Amino acid sequence: MSFAAMAADTGEVNFPALDSSYLKTGDFVGPDHVKRVTPGLNKDQVRRELGNPHFSEGIFNVREWDYAFNFYTGKGNEYVTCQFKVKFDSDNRATSTHWKNPDCEKYVNPPPAEAAPVVEKVLPHRLELDADGLFAFGKSDLGNLDPAGRGKLDDLANRLKQDGVKLSSVVVTGHTDRIGSEEANLALSQARADTIRNYLIRKGVDGRLVRAYGAGKTKPVVQCPGQKLTPQLVQCLQPNRRIEIEIVGEQ
């Protein structure tokens, strides 16, 4: 089912100007995250997939959330920016989703290939690793990569290099909790993603296929009360400190 047909919505759909976003451009997101946003989800569930809206329209007492996403076109590093809207009802449940440019839907739901080969087995498309199980707290360099974390990455690299695997892309995204400044968290998440990328390349994964991004604290999966830095707050926010690895390939 196409996104345009996900739910009936006869109201007028208007999109904000792209430069009114705090990002001033789009944010990279895995297409599977967008695909999982369907009518009936509540706002917390939508936020878990897409993060907070990218425009200053509010979060809790509004009926529309707007996003701007970047999608790779498949031509080198070329990408396009697409605006995406989620509409909600009075109970904060999603009722419909909309693209400003309908052509953008193909990056989430690509049309079937004319002569698609029969695929017997597909690689795991998404892995999520606990950053606390990979790095020392607040660290990002290879020297602070936990031995158990190295083992998980070694296993992943071996799976990606095994005979018969046709790897298309590996996208590594780092996430942090909200402790610290936005700039520091963005830098930490990027540095951790770069370390994971470089480690996979050292283990023999084709570097041309591996990209790394830092999302900072913009896409939390849990919310915790309190602002004072305490062991309890650090522990509560632990799920937000993570590495997501999205894999496209066949075997």
Side-chain angles (χ1 to χ4, degrees):
M1 179 183 296
S2 70
F3 271 65
M6 290 173 79
D9 193 321
T10 57
E12 185 177 1
V13 180
N14 295 307
F15 287 84
L18 180 60
D19 60 7
S20 67
S21 163
Y22 73 88
L23 296 169
K24 304 302 180 185
T25 182
D27 186 20
F28 286 92
V29 64
D32 282 343
H33 288 285
V34 184
K35 188 181 295 187
R36 288 193 288 267
V37 176
T38 58
L41 297 187
N42 61 39
K43 285 185 173 179
D44 285 338
Q45 291 169 321
V46 173
R47 182 161 45 209
R48 177 162 186 162
E49 296 296 341
L50 306 180
N52 289 329
H54 297 158
F55 296 80
S56 56
E57 54 203 355
I59 294 179
F60 299 105
N61 298 315
V62 296
R63 297 285 187 90
E64 299 182 6
W65 282 1
D66 282 284
Y67 296 87
F69 296 133
N70 294 331
F71 297 109
Y72 283 102
T73 64
K75 301 176 181 178
N77 290 323
E78 179 185 272
Y79 64 86
V80 296
T81 299
C82 296
Q83 288 186 241
F84 182 70
K85 181 187 293 289
V86 183
K87 285 193 173 187
F88 299 91
D89 60 19
S90 58
D91 294 323
N92 289 324
R93 294 279 179 177
T95 60
S96 61
T97 61
H98 308 266
W99 294 102
K100 183 176 182 180
N101 182 348
D103 287 343
C104 286
E105 184 180 348
K106 68 183 179 183
Y107 298 107
V108 174
N109 288 317
E114 293 183 1
V118 175
V119 179
E120 295 182 354
K121 192 174 181 181
V122 179
L123 284 170
H125 70 279
R126 182 174 180 271
L127 297 175
E128 185 172 303
L129 302 175
D130 176 8
D132 289 0
L134 293 173
F135 297 95
F137 183 77
K139 302 297 184 179
S140 62
D141 58 279
L142 186 60
N144 284 286
L145 194 59
D146 185 86
R150 289 175 184 260
K152 294 178 182 178
L153 295 175
D154 289 345
D155 179 65
L156 174 60
N158 289 334
R159 294 168 66 187
L160 297 178
K161 295 186 301 174
Q162 63 186 330
D163 291 341
V165 170
K166 297 179 181 179
L167 191 62
S168 298
S169 69
V170 178
V171 179
V172 182
T173 305
H175 300 269
T176 67
D177 58 27
R178 60 178 168 82
I179 298 171
S181 68
E182 181 174 348
E183 293 78 9
N185 279 303
L186 188 62
L188 176 62
S189 65
Q190 182 67 59
R192 284 180 168 177
D194 287 338
T195 294
I196 300 301
R197 175 184 183 272
N198 293 336
Y199 190 87
L200 292 175
I201 294 172
R202 284 179 55 182
K203 291 297 178 178
V205 180
D206 189 343
R208 296 171 297 178
L209 305 179
V210 188
R211 297 187 176 92
Y213 302 102
K217 57 183 179 181
T218 61
K219 296 181 179 179
V221 295
V222 298
Q223 301 291 336
C224 300
Q227 297 297 324
K228 185 177 180 180
L229 181 59
T230 64
Q232 292 78 14
L233 180 60
V234 172
Q235 178 62 32
C236 179
L237 292 172
Q238 181 270 328
N240 294 338
R241 301 187 293 272
R242 64 197 192 279
I243 299 291
E244 293 180 348
I245 303 177
E246 300 207 24
I247 303 163
V248 177
E250 301 172 354
Q251 67 177 25

